Amino acid sequence: MPTRGGSIRLFRIFGIEVFLHWSWFLVAVYEVQMMRSRYSSLAWPVLEYLGLFAMVTMHEFGHALACRQTGGVAEKIFLWPLGGIAFVSPPPRPGAMLWSIAAGPLVNVALVPIFWIALHLAANAGWPNDNLDAFLVLTWLGRINLGLLIFNLLPIYPLDGGQILRSLLWFPFGEIRSLFIATAIGLAGGAALLLAAVWFQSFWIGFMAFFLLSRAIVGWKQARYLRAEEAEQTRVLAPELPEKKALL
Ligand SMILES: [Zn+2]
């Protein structure tokens, strides 16, 4: 998990501070080298990688601004090699939670027609012949946006899809049981992702699987804590504190 200690403060917009973890640079150098062969010069893979993280940042701002809209608190966004994390505290209502989570992937949904139109215009302007590198950057960013959208919507807690599932289950099952069900599915999904990492021999899928599993375990423990708290009936006496969430 990225910490504030190892992060650089990039900028602040709408009162939301964006931090970048130092390890991002290491992975960026590696990834840019991997993409190098499909472009004529180094500037283009750098542009593609920066474009990817521009999209990730927009996605996180979707979460943060939607959370604010519901009356919640959202002040920080962290970027690290696996993507972004928006630290948000929406009011403890399923509707507020649902909107704070869904707004992230909705940014990627909004980008789909924008990329489609841009690629269409670029193709008509003759970019595939005259400006191939720029056309490839646009094509790859369009594909990556679609890939990010599909991956984020997998119902594996704490991915957005898993958190959307939890918010929807909150309506019929309540705050605690919905968290138990969603994190149990998240644990199974994380384990499946781990198997996929072994199958494809992919370090990154394995790293992502471990990260998701560790967050799903935290979610499961949180559900147990909430249940114990409810059993003691202290929640009716104590003021209700908004749940702190880390949205991917
Ligand atoms: Zn997200």
Side-chain angles (χ1 to χ4, degrees):
M1 267 296 283
T3 60
R4 192 171 189 166
S7 300
I8 306 156
R9 183 179 175 279
L10 288 183
F11 57 85
R12 183 188 166 101
I13 303 179
F14 310 124
I16 297 164
E17 288 185 299
V18 178
F19 293 89
L20 180 71
H21 194 252
W22 65 267
S23 59
W24 183 88
F25 291 99
L26 291 183
V27 178
V29 168
Y30 171 78
E31 291 291 336
V32 164
Q33 288 301 324
M34 295 297 283
M35 297 187 288
R36 176 76 180 83
S37 60
R38 54 177 188 250
Y39 295 105
S40 68
S41 77
L42 191 64
W44 297 103
V46 170
L47 189 68
E48 185 191 319
Y49 204 65
L50 291 176
L52 157 62
F53 273 83
M55 291 194 300
V56 168
T57 308
M58 286 163 70
H59 172 107
E60 303 308 332
F61 266 95
H63 287 309
L65 295 176
C67 173
R68 287 263 188 90
Q69 214 179 17
T70 65
V73 180
E75 289 166 345
K76 286 187 190 72
I77 289 171
F78 277 96
L79 300 174
W80 66 317
L82 283 188
I85 299 171
F87 291 95
V88 299
S89 295
R93 301 190 305 267
M97 197 80 85
L98 184 59
W99 175 232
S100 301
I101 297 157
L106 278 175
V107 170
N108 301 96
V109 170
L111 285 174
V112 170
I114 292 173
F115 273 114
W116 191 79
I117 291 167
L119 277 165
H120 221 70
L121 292 175
N124 285 340
W127 280 22
N129 296 319
D130 316 329
N131 214 342
L132 183 61
D133 285 311
F135 190 71
L136 282 174
V137 168
L138 203 57
T139 306
W140 276 99
L141 287 178
R143 286 179 188 167
I144 292 168
N145 178 57
L146 213 55
L148 285 177
L149 176 62
I150 293 166
F151 180 71
N152 262 307
L153 287 179
L154 291 177
I156 303 173
Y157 188 97
L159 290 178
D160 289 335
Q163 305 231 34
I164 287 170
L165 178 69
R166 190 269 169 125
S167 303
L168 292 172
L169 291 172
W170 188 329
F171 288 102
F173 294 114
E175 182 185 11
I176 300 169
R177 276 177 73 196
S178 63
L179 191 55
F180 269 122
I181 299 168
T183 51
I185 296 170
L187 287 168
L193 213 58
L194 205 59
L195 286 177
V198 175
W199 181 263
F200 294 112
Q201 298 195 328
S202 163
F203 169 77
W204 284 112
I205 298 177
F207 194 57
M208 177 59 96
F210 270 114
F211 175 69
L212 294 181
L213 279 170
S214 72
R215 300 300 305 173
I217 290 167
V218 170
W220 178 268
K221 283 181 179 167
Q222 189 189 6
R224 279 176 56 181
Y225 172 79
L226 288 172
R227 190 175 60 185
E229 207 180 34
E230 190 187 53
E232 285 172 25
Q233 290 188 323
T234 50
R235 277 169 72 76
V236 286
L237 302 170
E240 195 150 7
L241 292 169
E243 188 180 335
K244 255 209 180 307
K245 300 190 73 61
L247 297 183
L248 304 177

